[in-house]
Amino acid sequence: MAATLAKADDRGPRSIVILGATGSIGKSTADIIAGAKEAFTVAAVAGGRDPIALARVARDLGAKFAALADPSGYAALKDALAGSGIEAAAGPDAVIEAALRPSDMVMAAIAGTAGVGPTYAALSAGRTVALANKECLVCAGPAFVRQAAAMGTRLLPVDSEHNAIFQALGDSDLAMIEMMTLTASGGPFRTWTAEAIAKATPEQALQHPNWSMGPKITVDSAGLMNKGLEVIEAHYLFGIEAERLDVLVHAQSVVHGLVAFRDGSVTAGLAAPDMRVPIAHCLSYPRRLTTGARRLDLAAVGQLTFERPDFARFPALRVALDALRAGCGLPTVLNAANEVAVAAFLERRISFHDIARLVEQCCEATLADGTAHDPESVADALAIDHIARERTQALLAQGSTFGMVTAC
Ligand code: NAD
Ligand code: MG
């Protein structure tokens, strides 16, 4: 990627830690940094299970420290970094160490709830966090928001919709906002019938029309669960209640988020569907970089269309919005149950249709047994998460009793 730059900061290069450096967001982050080498240094990179890919990104970016979550990959990581001068470590504590290495900003791009602990550690150490991992806020939103305020640090939104809204908001008064709207592409099943969606295969769910992303978020997008998670993310990130959060299906993925004010004005964030745009915005915030990210050509796009989401065909969105409105820790439960359900779908143990059903059943069972409560801390959120996972596994095991479609 060709990139020229304005320095991210007058104080010299900004030092970055990338958590989830080998994933989709991690690679796009590496691409932006590699194209603006004089603006950034890389203090540490962390990845999950692939030591070779992690060593490659660490070498490409001249990172000082590389941490792999899987301890069995330590020898391979050390070998792959031999002679580079880059320190290697492995295991969950090594990932936390990466998060805590001195830096100006931590890119939180681990997939799923695995990202909660390292991201919270970075926030608690006072780091500015560029937040790609939406599960952090869905699982433990109140604790993250409280800690950010207590540390006087920022959570900068990398998720494209939230980044667009963040840019559209400027310094406006939250009280003067009538509605915040997140758009959804509608995913690969936007025009499919409910019957066809119910029987969709993992291969079909993994074919996103506009975005290239990791497998979990791609499956979430296909059922609009991703948009539900994002509405919950927006609720915590912007401190705005569910009633002022809206979703529109917008197949072109050009307008990512809109803010309607009480005077009738509407501001919006537009860009080509390329995650390097919000990533570059966060990495250099409040400055801007010149990047080689895709440019938006509105004349080539021609038409922009918007429609209301269809809850009958995409029940996962309704289930997520219900969880947000119910409160009582249900977003935490929803997030955990969804991770288990998506993994089971990808392993072909359940149908696509079962994902939303399983998540809803887990939320209902949690409400019914009287244990539902708002998490008081990250530790409490992770305890709720753990119980919800066990409950979802148990529901999965009795799948036939619940009438789940198991063949796909
Ligand atoms: P991905 O699956 O492509 O990458 C995940 C990364 O996390 C990999 O580097 C993996 O090795 C690493 N990882 C997994 N477990 C780990 C652990 N325990 N410790 C350290 N690293 C670990 O996922 P992605 O698409 O890049 O998404 C990352 C996050 O960003 C998700 O929360 C997703 O919802 C969010 N997000 C992604 C996009 C996108 O376009 N990909 C857009 C918006 C938000
Ligand atoms: Mg998004």
Side-chain angles (χ1 to χ4, degrees):
M1 180 197 76
T4 56
L5 66 140
K7 266 193 174 170
D9 201 299
D10 288 335
R11 291 178 298 125
R14 183 170 277 187
S15 78
I16 310 288
V17 167
I18 311 173
L19 304 175
T22 57
S24 169
I25 293 287
K27 284 182 191 149
S28 294
T29 303
D31 189 44
I32 293 291
I33 292 176
K37 281 213 156 115
E38 61 276 45
F40 301 106
T41 60
V42 175
V45 290
R49 300 180 153 269
D50 185 345
I52 305 304
L54 186 65
R56 192 180 312 121
V57 68
R59 281 180 182 272
D60 287 351
L61 298 179
K64 295 185 179 63
F65 180 61
L68 193 72
D70 177 7
S72 70
Y74 177 68
L77 178 65
K78 203 155 168 52
D79 276 359
L81 289 174
S84 67
I86 301 169
E87 233 183 298
D93 288 347
V95 176
I96 299 282
E97 188 183 336
L100 293 175
R101 283 284 165 118
S103 71
D104 296 313
M105 184 180 290
V106 174
M107 169 58 71
I110 294 174
T113 307
V116 171
T119 307
Y120 193 72
L123 193 64
S124 302
R127 306 286 183 269
T128 300
V129 171
L131 189 69
N133 178 295
K134 63 196 75 182
E135 292 88 350
C136 283
L137 290 179
V138 182
C139 172
F144 270 77
V145 169
R146 255 198 322 269
Q147 190 70 331
M151 299 305 299
T153 185
R154 296 199 77 127
L155 289 165
L156 295 171
V158 174
D159 214 345
S160 54
E161 298 76 4
H162 308 71
N163 186 272
I165 288 173
F166 179 56
Q167 296 202 43
L169 270 175
D171 56 5
S172 35
D173 178 2
L174 269 192
M176 292 312 291
I177 293 170
E178 208 156 73
M179 196 60 76
M180 266 184 195
T181 303
L182 290 83
T183 65
S185 70
F189 307 147
R190 185 175 56 88
T191 57
W192 290 27
T193 62
E195 296 70 32
I197 296 172
K199 286 189 251 152
T201 64
E203 290 72 20
Q204 290 169 323
L206 288 169
Q207 291 293 321
H208 199 283
N210 302 353
W211 299 98
S212 160
M213 310 179 285
K216 196 256 176 186
I217 183 175
T218 307
V219 174
D220 284 344
S221 296
L224 295 196
M225 176 62 88
N226 182 52
K227 212 47 54 184
L229 299 177
E230 290 184 352
V231 170
I232 299 171
E233 179 186 13
H235 163 71
Y236 291 118
L237 193 60
F238 299 116
I240 192 155
E241 62 279 15
E243 291 66 32
R244 286 194 288 163
L245 287 164
D246 194 19
V247 172
L248 279 178
V249 175
H250 164 52
Q252 298 78 22
S253 295
V254 164
V255 182
H256 303 291
L258 306 98
V259 183
F261 295 92
R262 296 203 190 276
D263 65 357
S265 307
V266 180
T267 58
L270 286 73
D274 182 340
M275 284 309 293
R276 291 175 301 175
V277 175
I279 288 170
H281 178 254
C282 289
L283 288 178
S284 57
Y285 184 83
R287 302 270 186 122
R288 288 193 187 266
L289 287 172
T290 302
T291 78
R294 280 172 60 192
R295 297 305 194 251
L296 177 58
D297 179 348
L298 280 174
V301 176
Q303 282 197 328
L304 300 179
T305 58
F306 299 91
E307 57 195 280
R308 292 254 149 245
D310 179 348
F311 292 112
R313 287 187 304 128
F314 297 99
L317 177 58
R318 175 189 53 74
V319 172
L321 298 181
D322 284 351
L324 173 60
R325 287 191 209 102
C328 274
L330 282 202
T332 314
V333 173
L334 171 103
N335 180 59
N338 181 53
E339 270 190 37
V340 174
V342 170
F345 168 70
L346 288 173
E347 290 161 13
R348 296 174 201 277
R349 293 170 60 204
I350 60 170
S351 71
F352 191 76
H353 172 74
D354 291 332
I355 298 175
R357 290 183 58 182
L358 200 52
V359 173
E360 186 165 36
Q361 283 166 1
C362 184
C363 289
E364 281 171 356
T366 307
L367 276 181
D369 78 2
T371 59
H373 66 281
D374 267 326
E376 286 163 17
S377 61
V378 167
D380 192 23
L382 291 175
I384 296 172
D385 174 281
H386 180 75
I387 293 166
R389 276 167 205 271
E390 289 194 330
R391 196 191 290 275
T392 313
Q393 292 291 5
L395 287 166
L396 255 176
Q398 339 152 355
S400 53
T401 325
F402 281 81
M404 284 193 283
V405 188
T406 46
C408 59

